[in-house]
Amino acid sequence: MSYCLNPECAKPQNPIQMKFCQVCGSTLLLKDRYRALLPIGEGGFGRTFVAVDEHRLQGRCVIKQFLPQPKGTGTLKQAALEKAIQMFNREAVRLDELGSHPQIPTLLAYFEQEGRLYLIQQFIEGHNLFQELHLQGPFSEQKIRELLTDILPVLKYVHDRNVIHRDIKPGNILRSRVDRRLVLIDFGVAKQLEGEGSKVGTKIGTEGYAPMEQWRGGKAYPASDLYSLGATCVHLLTRVKPDSLYDPLAGRWFWKEHLTSQGFALSSRLEQILDRLLKDAVVERYQSAEAVLRDLEGKPIQLPADPGTSPSLVPVIPSGPSLPLSWQTLYTLTGHTDRVRAVAVSPDGKTLASGSSDKTIRLWSLEQGDLLHTLTGHTGAIHTAVMHPNGRILATGSSDKTIRLWHLERAQLLHTFSEHTNWVNALAFGLRGQVMVSGSDDQTLKVWDLKTGKLIHTLTGHTGPVHAVAISPDGKTIVSGSTDKTIRVWDLKTGVLALTLTRHSSRVNAIAISSNGQILASGSDDSTIKLWDLKMGQVLQTLTDHTDVVVTVAIGLNGRLLISGSHDNTVRLWELPTGRPLHTLTSHTWWVNAVAINTQNITPQPIIQIVSGSADKNVQVWQAL
């Protein structure tokens, strides 16, 4: 059915093919493209609808219709109306600023039609945590830890941009059906930080979740959002609304007593974290999401191996010259108009490829830092780029669901693979370039014969999007990482699953295999890098220096140097196999999405370079001194 957006319409439901309402005559298509299907929410300022975009193959979206109903008369009513419109405009600004984060809905359009204001947002298929609570019952400690681990980095992102959400509650946290990640919605009451806190204003938020300084005084701080997150956790643990678990006369919470009465207890660490989140005094609470994460993880000062690790399992890495400790920025390559998501260096070390959300691949001279060519043809963001061992072919994967092969010297498209049904996130070449493996949001890996262009295998088993793939140097093994938190090891020849590694607590974004095939490095949303003995399937080290999501890893210098990039805006260098930190590169101003290493054994001085691509739209080339 097509739903009429006229709030006065007596019978808003219409046949799907109609362009005008059969009852009131109102236009059913916003901007001649967005069609409301059914209402999913209503509040003081308007209504929300599930809709389709008829210009994008009936793709789902969300329409937010602004319907303020200010009280009063005359100038008071007009002032209230203007304030409500200002709030709606603020949501558009916030969503535009924040919507580049994968766990915040993207703003697709903002406009006025027939005297009403509309926001069009990305549709997140899934359910909110309030619905999940009633469907599945109270959350376990593990689910609360997963909630905090998933949503705190989003809050850090929001607060780092001087925005306070001010309405965190179970109904405003969605769990995506696609990758099970949590998404923070409804920034309609979000507020820009002003000095120490926000100015006193209208009471905004939800009673029971909003802290006293916000609910009574209209002030809000990052610690206010953290209080609301704590109240959300208590509700999900107890299935009781937070305001029913607080004694205002005694000024204390009794949620722990309620849990005890139900025969349920938390670890002392999580109890202490929730207690501190829910302090009445702002200064006694956590002041940042990052601080909560540190306590939640309980990171030790030392980096012990995971249980079961034996020193005898540590692979032997060939010796060589001392690893470089000093680096300088050689080039900052600019020109991309959106986030850089992928970088790759040709085997001869002369050419660099960078792929971006601007849908282009740029080819650069690593010797001069000059732009050589811009490759166009993809219709979506470039998610991955890899160089063929022969140095003449570049493979790229995109959110347009295709893989493209390019001739580097001629800057021409050679072939397009279009068998994936969702975003292509990862590519790898193996068997001296005879085979290519791809990983996709469709939860599959595909193995291709590059001589014939034919599909050899489709590997299934992951229960979430595949974000990383690698092929062992001997060409016998495929390794993949997924949002399902697992790493899977496959036999390349048969496509049979040989091993599943499960030590990460969040999605696996990146993997790399050492040149001798013994060490596997994996980077995750849990902000760690794990070093594995690939043959034994056991963890050798867990590296915890990054303070945010680890998106990319690479191994070079004959397997002795590990490079990682993170949403903490840094590139970190580590010694292998010890995991000893060597250096941190800090020139990027936003997320580091991709890294690569270029080593040229020339005389009299070998060249060692690191390349990094960032959401700041730049590519940095670093050179060892």
Side-chain angles (χ1 to χ4, degrees):
M1 299 294 287
S2 184
Y3 201 90
C4 178
L5 293 171
N6 178 4
E8 306 299 326
C9 184
K11 295 182 178 180
Q13 292 186 336
N14 289 267
I16 192 68
Q17 72 275 11
M18 301 297 293
K19 291 189 175 181
F20 299 95
C21 180
Q22 299 177 114
V23 175
C24 69
S26 296
T27 301
L28 294 176
L29 287 178
L30 295 178
K31 288 293 183 182
D32 202 33
R33 67 183 291 183
Y34 302 110
R35 182 185 298 275
L37 301 179
L38 73 159
I40 56 173
E42 186 169 355
F45 293 119
R47 300 183 295 171
T48 305
F49 302 84
V50 172
V52 292
D53 182 350
E54 298 200 343
H55 287 193
R56 293 176 63 91
L57 302 175
Q58 300 293 312
R60 289 289 184 100
C61 58
V62 171
I63 295 173
K64 299 190 89 172
Q65 181 190 52
F66 182 46
L67 293 173
Q69 297 177 348
K71 297 179 180 179
T73 57
T75 57
L76 289 176
K77 184 174 182 177
Q78 181 61 32
L81 178 62
E82 290 176 357
K83 183 175 178 61
I85 293 173
Q86 182 183 28
M87 183 175 294
F88 189 82
N89 289 336
R90 182 184 298 134
E91 178 166 15
V93 172
R94 296 297 171 267
L95 286 172
D96 192 43
E97 291 174 350
L98 302 173
S100 60
H101 192 286
Q103 290 170 265
I104 297 174
T106 302
L107 177 66
L108 303 176
Y110 171 56
F111 52 85
E112 180 271 337
Q113 184 168 315
E114 297 180 351
R116 304 183 190 99
L117 292 171
Y118 294 93
L119 285 176
I120 311 298
Q121 290 179 257
Q122 173 191 10
F123 174 74
I124 307 296
E125 185 178 1
H127 55 264
N128 65 47
L129 294 191
F130 185 78
Q131 294 167 323
E132 186 171 311
L133 175 67
H134 284 270
L135 287 171
Q136 301 180 13
F139 280 37
S140 65
E141 172 162 346
Q142 180 61 30
K143 285 190 70 173
I144 292 296
R145 285 178 172 273
E146 290 173 358
L147 159 64
L148 292 171
T149 300
D150 209 6
I151 213 69
L152 282 166
V154 186
L155 278 183
K156 179 181 183 299
Y157 175 85
V158 171
H159 294 161
D160 284 350
R161 281 146 188 81
N162 295 325
V163 174
I164 311 168
H165 187 280
R166 298 208 305 170
D167 198 23
I168 293 172
K169 57 185 178 182
N172 282 340
I173 302 174
L174 300 183
R175 190 181 299 281
S176 168
R177 184 169 288 117
V178 174
D179 61 7
R180 307 295 296 167
R181 296 192 75 183
L182 298 179
V183 178
L184 186 59
I185 66 168
D186 199 354
F187 282 77
V189 299
K191 195 159 186 177
Q192 198 79 17
L193 285 169
E194 300 171 4
E196 289 291 317
S198 302
K199 293 179 181 178
V200 175
T202 306
K203 180 192 299 183
I204 294 178
T206 301
E207 189 170 8
Y209 301 97
M212 193 170 299
E213 72 274 4
Q214 180 180 314
W215 188 248
R216 290 188 177 179
K219 295 182 179 180
Y221 311 86
S224 307
D225 277 350
L226 295 175
Y227 178 100
S228 299
L229 181 59
T232 295
C233 291
V234 165
H235 187 181
L236 296 173
L237 280 166
T238 62
R239 207 173 182 177
V240 177
K241 290 187 176 181
D243 50 1
S244 299
L245 296 170
Y246 182 79
D247 184 347
L249 295 178
R252 62 179 293 271
W253 290 88
F254 56 92
W255 61 269
K256 285 183 284 188
E257 290 87 338
H258 177 86
L259 284 179
T260 301
S261 70
Q262 302 299 310
F264 182 71
L266 297 180
S267 67
S268 59
R269 180 182 289 275
L270 186 56
E271 277 192 0
Q272 291 167 7
I273 289 171
L274 294 180
D275 279 342
R276 187 172 173 188
L277 286 170
L278 292 168
K279 291 289 186 183
D280 283 338
V282 176
V283 295
E284 294 180 2
R285 290 181 216 143
Y286 289 102
Q287 299 301 300
S288 71
E290 188 176 354
V292 188
L293 279 168
R294 283 198 301 267
D295 277 4
L296 186 68
E297 295 165 358
K299 293 181 178 178
I301 296 174
Q302 301 297 321
L303 299 177
D306 283 45
T309 298
S310 167
S312 63
L313 295 176
V314 178
V316 176
I317 296 295
S319 60
S322 298
L323 294 173
L325 297 177
S326 298
W327 298 79
Q328 65 178 2
T329 301
L330 186 62
Y331 307 120
T332 298
L333 307 179
T334 61
H336 280 297
T337 59
D338 206 334
R339 290 173 284 180
V340 178
R341 292 177 173 269
V343 293
V345 177
S346 62
D348 64 7
K350 295 181 179 180
T351 305
L352 164 67
S354 58
S356 166
S357 290
D358 65 13
K359 306 175 186 177
T360 70
I361 303 106
R362 290 178 177 252
L363 303 180
W364 313 82
S365 167
L366 270 176
E367 295 175 313
Q368 305 296 328
D370 298 329
L371 179 64
L372 302 174
H373 300 286
T374 300
L375 307 179
T376 60
H378 278 296
T379 58
I382 314 301
H383 285 193
T384 179
V386 292
M387 291 284 185
H388 192 278
N390 68 15
R392 297 192 299 273
I393 296 173
L394 173 72
T396 56
S398 166
S399 61
D400 65 11
K401 308 177 188 177
T402 71
I403 303 161
R404 295 177 186 246
L405 300 183
W406 311 83
H407 192 288
L408 280 180
E409 292 180 1
R410 298 198 299 264
Q412 291 179 342
L413 179 64
L414 296 174
H415 190 76
T416 300
F417 299 92
S418 54
E419 283 79 353
H420 278 295
T421 60
N422 211 325
W423 295 357
V424 179
N425 299 316
L427 295 167
F429 287 116
L431 292 175
R432 298 177 299 282
Q434 299 175 44
V435 169
M436 180 176 68
V437 177
S438 55
S440 167
D441 263 24
D442 63 17
Q443 304 182 12
T444 72
L445 292 88
K446 292 186 182 291
V447 184
W448 311 86
D449 184 333
L450 290 184
K451 287 184 176 180
T452 63
K454 293 183 178 179
L455 183 64
I456 302 172
H457 300 299
T458 296
L459 309 182
T460 60
H462 280 297
T463 58
V466 180
H467 276 212
V469 296
I471 299 177
S472 61
D474 64 9
K476 296 180 179 180
T477 302
I478 300 170
V479 183
S480 58
S482 167
T483 63
D484 64 13
K485 308 178 188 178
T486 71
I487 299 166
R488 295 180 183 247
V489 182
W490 316 77
D491 183 287
L492 188 148
K493 184 177 181 180
T494 64
V496 172
L497 180 65
L499 191 63
T500 301
L501 311 178
T502 59
R503 290 290 185 86
H504 279 295
S505 61
S506 191
R507 70 177 183 176
V508 180
N509 298 311
I511 52 177
I513 302 174
S514 64
S515 56
N516 64 4
Q518 295 186 39
I519 290 182
L520 169 71
S522 58
S524 167
D525 265 21
D526 62 17
S527 303
T528 73
I529 301 163
K530 291 189 183 291
L531 305 180
W532 308 77
D533 181 308
L534 184 54
K535 182 178 180 181
M536 303 295 294
Q538 291 186 287
V539 174
L540 304 170
Q541 292 280 349
T542 299
L543 312 181
T544 59
D545 285 14
H546 278 298
T547 59
D548 208 331
V549 171
V550 180
V551 184
T552 177
V553 294
I555 296 176
L557 288 183
N558 203 21
R560 296 185 300 114
L561 179 65
L562 170 69
I563 313 160
S564 58
S566 166
H567 283 186
D568 63 14
N569 306 349
T570 70
V571 177
R572 292 182 182 266
L573 283 62
W574 319 76
E575 180 185 62
L576 289 181
T578 65
R580 178 171 66 93
L582 297 174
H583 199 77
T584 302
L585 308 177
T586 58
S587 291
H588 283 298
T589 59
W590 205 5
W591 301 343
V592 178
N593 295 323
V595 294
I597 186 167
N598 175 32
T599 305
Q600 300 302 311
N601 295 318
I602 60 175
T603 57
Q605 180 65 41
I607 294 175
I608 303 173
Q609 295 174 335
I610 289 172
V611 179
S612 56
S614 168
D616 63 15
K617 307 176 187 178
N618 296 332
V619 178
Q620 297 276 5
V621 181
W622 319 76
Q623 186 154 309
L625 297 177

